[in-house]
């Protein structure tokens, strides 16, 4: 990238303001156990992914971190469901970091191994039926349709809602998870 389009340089102690240091410490304490230190830090000890940009603007970045934390800890969806949605968003935005950070989490959540190459290729939803569990396949179908068309059809919405037990909160949490996730590639791509 040209100097004007380059991301901010890695921000790390001791070259941080008080607000930046506070957010840096919070990110390290909450994320290291989730994504692992190899995903969290670059070779020089700076934060990878969206976290460097968040630390560059700590007053806004702390709110993105709160939202991301809520997606993980207050979501009505099981991790296997929201991780499928996160992977679809990452593939759509060609966000290598998103895939890198969440592929391991999706495996840990129980997503079938055979699903990963299909999700990464953006395979049609029909190809994931029988590979993913029915509710995972419904989430994949909705996420893929939303990413490709910027809309969700009434039949896809109804099928996904039924697969998620007819629960409006679970549908809202699915959409908010995808919205939250979409900020990451926009910060780092």
């Amino acid at each position: 990238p040209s100097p004007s389009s380059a991301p901010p340089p890695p921000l790390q102690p001791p070259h941080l303001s008080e607000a930046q240091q506070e957010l840096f410490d919070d990110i390290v304490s909450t994320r290291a156990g989730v994504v692992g230190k190899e995903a969290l830090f670059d070779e020089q000890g700076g934060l990878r992914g969206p976290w460097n940009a968040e630390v560059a603007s700590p007053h806004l970045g702390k709110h993105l971190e709160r939202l991301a934390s809520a997606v993980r800890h207050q979501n009505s969806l099981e991790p296997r469901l929201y991780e499928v949605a996160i992977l679809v968003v990452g593939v759509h935005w060609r966000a290598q970091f998103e895939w890198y950070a969440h592929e391991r989490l999706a495996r840990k959540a129980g997503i079938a191994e055979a699903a990963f190459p299909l999700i990464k290729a953006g395979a049609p939803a029909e190809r994931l039926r029988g590979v993913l569990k029915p509710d995972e396949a419904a989430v994949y179908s909705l996420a893929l349709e939303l990413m490709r068309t910027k809309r969700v059809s009434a039949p896809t919405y109804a099928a996904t809602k039924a697969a998620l037990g007819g629960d409006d909160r679970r549908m809202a949490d699915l959409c908010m998870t995808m919205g939250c996730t979409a900020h990451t590639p926009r910060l780092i791509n």
Side-chain angles (χ1 to χ4, degrees), residues 10 25 29 40 56 58 66 73 90 104 107 119 133 157 164 175:
D25 292 343
S29 71
L40 189 60
R66 285 186 190 142
H73 301 295
R104 181 176 67 89
R107 278 192 169 88
I119 295 170
K133 295 175 182 172
Y157 185 90
L164 296 179
C175 294

Side-chain angles (χ1 to χ4, degrees), residues 74-120:
Q74 297 172 347
N75 204 317
S76 63
L77 299 172
E78 297 90 346
R80 65 185 176 81
L81 296 173
Y82 65 71
E83 290 298 342
V84 167
I86 288 169
L87 289 176
V88 172
V89 171
V91 167
H92 172 77
W93 286 100
R94 298 184 184 122
Q96 293 174 350
F97 178 81
E98 200 77 33
W99 185 270
Y100 173 74
H102 286 275
E103 180 183 23
R104 181 176 67 89
L105 297 173
R107 278 192 169 88
K108 183 178 177 184
I111 299 302
E113 191 61 37
F116 291 99
L118 295 169
I119 295 170
K120 195 169 192 175

